[in-house]
Amino acid sequence: MKYLTKLQELKKDDVKTGGGKASNLGELLRGGFRVPGGFCVNSDGFWQFMKYNNIINEIDRVVNAAKDDKTTELSQQIEALKNAIITGSYPGDLRAEIESLYNELPEGKKVAVRSSATAEDLKEASFAGQQETYLGVCGIDELLNKIKECFASLYDARAVLYRQKMGFNSTDVALAVIVQEMINSDVSGVSFTENPVRRNSDEIMINASYGLGESIVSGQVNPDIFIYSKSKNEIVMKTLGSKQISIYMNAHNGTDTIETAEEKRKRYSLTDEQIIELSDVSKKIEDMYKMPMDIEWAYENGKLYILQARAVTTLNVREETHLKPQAEVAEQAANNDKQKKAIRMQMNNLIEHCPITPYPLDFGPLMTVMNAKQIILNDFGIVQDDVILMDDNGLITTNVKKPKYKLSVVKIPFQVKGFLDYDLNIAESKKSLDIAKNELAGIDPYKVPEESIQKTIAKLLDIAKNLSYSRFRYAIFPYILQAEFMEKALHKVDPKLSNYDLMCGLSYKTRDMNTGLAKLTRLIKDDSNLKEIFNKGMATKDFESCLQEMKIASEAFSVEINTFLNDFGWKSDNSYVAFSTTSWNENKASLFSLLNVYVKAESSIESDETKYISIIRDIDSKLSVKEAAKLKTKIENNRRYHVLREESLYLLETCYGYSRILLRRLMDGSFKGLLSYKDALYLTEKEICTLNPNQINSMADKIALRKVNRKKNQIMWENLEAHREDHTVTVLNGVSGNSGKVTGKVRIIQSILEFDKLQEGEILVCRYTDPEWTPLFLIASAVVSDTGGPLSHSAIVAREFGIPAVLATGDATKRLYDGILVEVDGDKGVVNVLR
């Protein structure tokens, strides 16, 4: 056989021929283990198919698009490539070989069709789950179709990008396809010959559930967990899983998912004899490979079959790692109350990122930010679908689903190390910021040639995409993880102390911006002429003329305001909204509204460096020298992460600000009289970057339909609040943003246009806050918000100002009203309605 290889003919080193999965199966067969029989279409067969269908050039285009990080182009190229593969024809000799070996299998026997990439299951990198597997396939025609679909799955976007990240060139990677007798298992699962949770090389961890192993690999069930001690030769722990569903082959091609019977759920899926047998076989496989192994197995009619074995890729973790194993994660996902909380968190997070209803042109950049987090979670084995979707008609729908867990979720403890590598994270974050700064330095949005505007908008959004990923991967996620690992030590110092208190006295973008506003305010307050001009401007709302007049009246103010706008001018009303918001550089109204609050306030922002110094002194006095040194190092690391987090956000806003300037120029230039800026918001990112004036008429109906659907979107967006069952108005439950307790009257503020409503000592109630709302904290006695969390702007600023904060209440702005008396209990995260 030229293009096919029987599994028993392969050895573990034959990765280039049969791919990692097939080569390991061959090694297992040669080692005497019971493995279902079959064959694989080898790498020569793969390349023969590609050459026969003239697909090589399509592969090159996909690889080049991935290298250039061109998302839109990559998507188009991948779609074209996969379509060419799936609709391709088999060379006669390849098809004949497939039919010949398929006919050697037991007649009527169903098969599993499994991808086996030639860069898969290597010791230094796990590519498991990157390509497709099809179970219960029957008949030569269906088999031929599934083989082509496996070929095509080699070029899924996630697989191409993952290989690129791991240093494998997709141009050189072939895909072998295993065709193997299907085991219709009674029980199946995974065993690890080194306990990945306890990092104990003496323990074998077994996950088991009824039916096919897909239920465990996909994270759809909470399996039984068994721990077997190699040294004691005995079972040392058994944990009963809920095993909610089971997957079995159906009578046709494919599988069915059924609910597991109650009596089966209440008993263990493996007997003690089977656990011991499986552990013994797992030890033998580990001995053969001479390394810790990750083994897929199945029992059918009492016989044990080995379906796969691969090296466990990483086993070095920090001593502080304490994340949960897959079983606990699955149990949490199955818990209704916790699931509701997860849904609320996702929706709150979405609203905080984008408190206003996004236009179609905002939607793509917004999801770029959201997807950055999803990409990182996917690396942890947690697959989260987009929480909202927008169709071609501009209609937004919610899509909140339970996360799916890949088998690799059990390896979370090993992956955490990279997220806590301070030197790596700082270097990568600074590198990303430097690249963005250099690219932005070469763009003057007011001087870009008109013929280059659309291309430049696309470039800016691409810079923003890279910033979004880097921001979460190298600043925010490490910050969050480090905060978790510091919590225990912090509580030894003070039970009420949290990571957010440690940002006191730190110079970062928001803090520096507030300091700049305070300087401007002092100049206005101390100069009666400036104050008179300012008050006149607030009355007339002619802010541009007012600003020019104030600059003429005071050279000091002119210098200060120019410096302020140069440093913070691209700060916008809504940080993650790309096109339907404005910055201070574009519209001075919101800046003057902020200054007006500062002017009215009697207090001002003062440095809280003394608080930080006091915390450090407490750490030194209450912890051992070693503990204190270790904690202080982590604190300094997290302070730096916070600075980078803030700096990257401002660069992101700068990208969006430049894009808005360019879009306005485009609408006032090439599209003048054809399309307004407001109408352009109803186009997508791709459409706006490729549109030409001749296409305007053809877009008219689509824009009109999207305008109609926007009204529906606005209604839906306003109701994206926590789904609470308790709708009484006596108590509002949320999360604590800052401790403390205060009683006062409510003042609901919906937007910056209502800032003047808030009076000294009132309780600020709002949907969210961002840096523009900071001055309100000068005069509010407490803050209550519909959305947010401990990392939100509201929490951070409330801590700076020392006022209680209760966040993520869901619908405080609807259930409370101006003037009502409430008690804000920041210690417990609740709001008690008194009158």
Side-chain angles (χ1 to χ4, degrees):
M1 291 284 177
K2 184 177 181 181
Y3 301 123
L4 268 65
T5 307
K6 291 184 178 180
L7 292 179
Q8 60 266 32
E9 297 173 0
L10 291 167
K11 302 185 294 296
K12 66 179 179 181
D13 295 328
D14 292 332
V15 174
K16 290 185 178 180
T17 299
K21 191 178 276 104
S23 299
N24 277 328
L25 289 172
E27 187 75 11
L28 291 166
L29 278 165
R30 297 162 71 90
F33 297 97
R34 187 184 290 120
V35 175
F39 59 88
C40 78
V41 180
N42 59 37
S43 56
D44 288 338
F46 171 85
W47 288 122
Q48 177 66 5
F49 180 90
M50 296 299 164
K51 292 172 184 177
Y52 184 79
N53 289 280
N54 298 314
I55 291 173
I56 303 299
N57 290 336
E58 295 280 356
I59 297 173
D60 291 337
R61 281 191 281 271
V62 164
V63 172
N64 290 332
K67 286 180 180 177
D68 295 339
D69 204 15
K70 296 178 179 177
T71 304
T72 301
E73 182 178 329
L74 177 61
S75 177
Q76 294 171 342
Q77 298 294 350
I78 282 176
E79 185 177 352
L81 171 57
K82 293 178 71 175
N83 183 64
I85 294 172
I86 291 171
T87 59
S89 302
Y90 281 93
D93 48 356
L94 174 58
R95 180 180 180 123
E97 287 191 18
I98 294 172
E99 290 180 349
S100 175
L101 286 191
Y102 179 67
N103 288 333
E104 290 184 14
L105 298 177
E107 185 176 356
K109 182 74 172 179
K110 292 187 177 184
V111 296
V113 182
R114 310 167 73 187
S115 305
S116 182
T118 57
E120 186 176 30
D121 296 341
L122 304 180
K123 181 179 179 180
E124 65 270 20
S126 175
F127 289 77
Q130 292 293 320
Q131 280 77 53
E132 294 295 341
T133 291
Y134 300 98
L135 305 177
V137 176
C138 187
I140 186 62
D141 291 336
E142 187 64 18
L143 172 61
L144 292 169
N145 288 334
K146 294 306 180 188
I147 291 173
K148 290 194 291 184
E149 289 180 30
C150 282
F151 284 165
S153 72
L154 182 65
Y155 303 105
D156 284 340
R158 63 171 182 164
V160 173
L161 294 172
Y162 187 75
R163 284 193 296 273
Q164 180 178 303
K165 174 183 174 183
M166 298 303 295
F168 293 91
N169 190 339
S170 289
T171 305
D172 302 327
V173 176
L175 187 83
V177 177
I178 301 166
V179 179
Q180 194 176 19
E181 292 180 39
M182 187 73 194
I183 300 300
N184 194 17
S185 49
D186 306 306
V187 182
S188 59
V190 182
S191 67
F192 290 86
T193 61
E194 181 163 335
N195 188 330
V197 178
R198 298 182 183 179
R199 293 167 285 136
N200 189 336
S201 60
D202 180 58
E203 293 182 343
I204 295 174
M205 173 188 274
I206 298 170
N207 287 7
S209 190
Y210 298 113
L212 304 180
E214 178 66 16
S215 62
I216 292 179
V217 173
S218 63
Q220 296 181 60
V221 299
N222 171 25
D224 295 332
I225 296 180
F226 309 102
I227 303 296
Y228 182 89
S229 170
K230 300 174 189 175
S231 60
K232 296 178 181 178
N233 289 319
E234 64 180 29
I235 303 165
V236 294
M237 190 180 80
K238 296 167 72 172
T239 303
L240 187 67
S242 57
K243 305 181 291 293
Q244 310 94 311
I245 57 101
S246 305
I247 300 176
Y248 294 100
M249 284 195 295
N250 59 30
H252 310 289
N253 282 302
T255 60
D256 288 330
T257 300
I258 64 172
E259 186 173 343
T260 306
E262 185 68 23
E263 65 274 12
K264 293 181 70 176
R265 294 174 61 179
K266 290 181 178 179
R267 68 172 186 260
Y268 291 112
S269 51
L270 291 177
T271 64
D272 285 357
E273 290 77 12
Q274 287 174 323
I275 296 169
I276 293 169
E277 178 190 21
L278 177 55
S279 298
D280 183 57
V281 170
S282 296
K283 283 193 294 182
K284 289 178 179 177
I285 292 174
E286 181 181 50
D287 290 342
M288 184 176 78
Y289 278 90
K290 295 180 172 52
M291 66 180 73
M293 298 297 289
D294 168 355
I295 302 163
E296 295 177 29
W297 53 267
Y299 273 99
E300 182 186 50
N301 296 326
K303 288 185 178 180
L304 173 62
Y305 293 86
I306 302 302
L307 307 181
Q308 183 54 272
R310 63 175 69 88
V312 177
T313 55
T314 312
L315 284 170
N316 295 317
V317 296
R318 291 176 181 245
E319 61 180 3
E320 56 209 345
T321 299
H322 61 271
L323 299 182
K324 298 178 181 179
Q326 180 191 21
E328 292 181 46
V329 174
E331 181 68 34
Q332 184 177 26
N335 183 287
N336 288 334
D337 290 337
K338 291 183 179 180
Q339 179 61 22
K340 288 178 182 178
K341 181 179 179 181
I343 291 172
R344 287 200 303 271
M345 288 176 63
Q346 289 184 60
M347 301 318 300
N348 284 344
N349 182 260
L350 176 64
I351 297 170
E352 189 174 1
H353 278 82
C354 186
I356 63 174
T357 311
Y359 286 84
L361 194 53
D362 296 319
F363 193 81
L366 172 65
M367 296 315 293
T368 293
V369 175
M370 304 301 289
N371 289 339
K373 293 180 289 184
Q374 290 171 223
I375 292 170
I376 296 168
L377 289 174
N378 188 65
D379 289 341
F380 275 129
I382 303 170
V383 181
Q384 179 65 62
D385 292 337
D386 291 342
V387 297
I388 55 170
L389 304 171
M390 177 180 279
D391 65 20
D392 192 52
N393 294 326
L395 187 65
I396 297 174
T397 54
T398 57
N399 187 48
V400 178
K401 296 180 179 178
K402 293 181 180 180
K404 298 174 184 176
Y405 300 96
K406 297 189 292 187
L407 180 61
S408 57
V409 76
V410 297
K411 301 174 186 176
I412 283 179
F414 317 133
Q415 295 172 301
V416 167
K417 182 179 180 181
F419 281 80
L420 293 175
D421 188 332
Y422 174 76
D423 292 334
L424 169 68
N425 293 332
I426 294 298
E428 289 296 330
S429 187
K430 291 179 69 175
K431 177 182 175 183
S432 172
L433 294 177
D434 288 342
I435 290 173
K437 288 175 183 176
N438 290 334
E439 289 180 315
L440 289 171
I443 300 172
D444 184 338
Y446 299 99
K447 295 180 180 179
V448 172
E450 190 165 337
E451 64 273 14
S452 300
I453 286 178
Q454 288 167 290
K455 182 179 179 180
T456 306
I457 291 174
K459 179 180 179 179
L460 286 164
L461 295 178
D462 200 46
I463 295 172
K465 184 191 78 169
N466 294 332
L467 275 169
S468 295
Y469 175 81
S470 176
R471 181 168 187 263
F472 282 101
R473 170 59 184 86
Y474 298 112
I476 293 180
F477 272 46
Y479 177 98
I480 293 171
L481 284 171
Q482 192 72 79
E484 286 291 322
F485 293 137
M486 288 194 296
E487 186 175 15
K488 184 176 180 180
L490 284 176
H491 286 178
K492 284 185 179 180
V493 178
D494 183 345
K496 293 184 178 181
L497 197 61
S498 79
N499 186 61
Y500 314 109
D501 295 309
L502 307 175
M503 300 304 117
C504 297
L506 181 65
S507 173
Y508 56 92
K509 204 72 180 180
T510 300
R511 179 75 186 187
D512 295 344
M513 181 193 72
N514 293 332
T515 301
L517 286 168
K519 288 181 181 178
L520 290 170
T521 305
R522 283 195 294 271
L523 288 171
I524 296 171
K525 284 184 172 183
D526 294 343
D527 188 321
S528 58
N529 189 29
L530 274 180
K531 192 168 184 178
E532 183 180 346
I533 297 171
F534 178 80
N535 289 335
K536 183 180 69 174
M538 290 302 301
T540 62
K541 306 300 181 185
D542 185 0
F543 301 117
E544 289 292 349
S545 298
C546 176
L547 181 58
Q548 295 308 314
E549 193 174 344
M550 292 176 74
K551 284 183 176 182
I552 294 170
S554 170
E555 183 178 352
F557 180 83
S558 179
V559 171
E560 197 65 49
I561 191 69
N562 286 339
T563 300
F564 180 84
L565 290 174
N566 182 65
D567 292 341
F568 309 106
W570 295 110
K571 179 60 65 178
S572 65
D573 296 344
N574 298 288
S575 301
Y576 292 97
V577 179
F579 290 96
S580 63
T581 191
T582 57
S583 67
W584 293 332
N585 280 334
E586 299 163 85
N587 180 15
K588 303 300 185 294
S590 58
L591 175 58
F592 270 73
S593 182
L594 278 174
L595 287 172
N596 192 40
V597 175
Y598 271 98
V599 169
K600 290 194 310 179
E602 295 183 4
S603 58
S604 62
I605 298 176
E606 302 295 339
S607 173
D608 51 4
E609 187 174 355
T610 55
K611 181 179 179 181
Y612 178 69
I613 293 172
S614 176
I615 292 172
I616 296 299
R617 285 174 179 165
D618 286 345
I619 290 172
D620 286 331
S621 65
K622 296 182 179 180
L623 299 180
S624 68
V625 174
K626 183 177 180 181
E627 281 182 308
K630 186 176 181 181
L631 178 57
K632 286 189 291 185
T633 297
K634 292 179 180 179
I635 289 172
E636 286 305 312
N637 290 352
N638 254 24
R639 283 164 68 88
R640 183 63 180 137
Y641 284 141
H642 188 66
V643 172
L644 294 172
R645 168 192 177 190
E646 291 270 318
E647 189 174 355
S648 61
L649 177 60
Y650 184 72
L651 286 175
L652 189 72
E653 291 183 277
T654 304
C655 291
Y656 294 158
Y658 282 16
S659 297
R660 291 191 296 271
I661 298 297
L662 289 168
L663 183 61
R664 288 190 181 92
R665 286 186 56 203
L666 189 66
M667 295 304 104
D668 292 338
S670 304
F671 293 88
K672 189 174 180 63
L674 299 174
L675 194 67
S676 68
Y677 186 92
K678 191 73 172 178
D679 284 340
L681 295 176
Y682 290 95
L683 300 177
T684 65
E685 176 186 340
K686 178 181 177 181
E687 290 166 348
I688 205 68
C689 292
T690 58
L691 190 67
N692 67 66
N694 296 327
Q695 295 173 313
I696 296 298
N697 289 338
S698 64
M699 297 295 295
D701 290 343
K702 183 171 286 189
I703 290 173
L705 180 57
R706 289 174 180 174
K707 285 183 177 180
V708 172
N709 283 333
R710 175 165 172 77
K711 295 177 181 178
K712 300 176 183 177
N713 293 342
Q714 287 174 311
I715 295 171
M716 183 272 291
W717 209 257
E718 290 173 359
N719 289 287
L720 281 182
E721 56 196 25
H723 304 291
R724 300 186 179 279
E725 297 177 359
D726 179 11
H727 289 282
T728 67
V729 292
T730 57
V731 178
L732 288 174
N733 293 298
V735 298
S736 175
N738 191 32
S739 60
K741 187 183 295 185
V742 71
T743 298
K745 291 184 178 181
V746 163
R747 182 65 64 185
I748 296 175
I749 304 295
Q750 298 285 5
S751 72
I752 60 174
L753 300 177
E754 298 180 348
F755 278 7
D756 288 344
K757 288 172 53 180
L758 187 69
Q759 301 300 311
E760 190 86 31
E762 291 183 332
I763 293 171
L764 169 62
V765 178
C766 53
R767 291 197 75 197
Y768 69 100
T769 73
D770 61 26
E772 282 201 331
W773 293 63
T774 301
L776 297 187
F777 290 71
L778 282 168
I779 57 179
S781 60
V783 60
V784 177
S785 65
D786 291 348
T787 68
L791 277 175
S792 68
H793 173 265
S794 300
I796 293 169
V797 180
R799 289 184 178 277
E800 290 181 5
F801 284 83
I803 63 174
V806 175
L807 315 175
T809 60
D811 49 6
T813 53
K814 292 184 177 180
R815 293 167 61 188
L816 301 178
Y817 53 86
D818 285 348
I820 190 173
L821 191 67
V822 300
E823 178 191 65
V824 179
D825 188 340
D827 298 325
K828 297 180 179 178
V830 300
V831 179
N832 297 303
V833 179
L834 305 178
R835 178 169 57 84

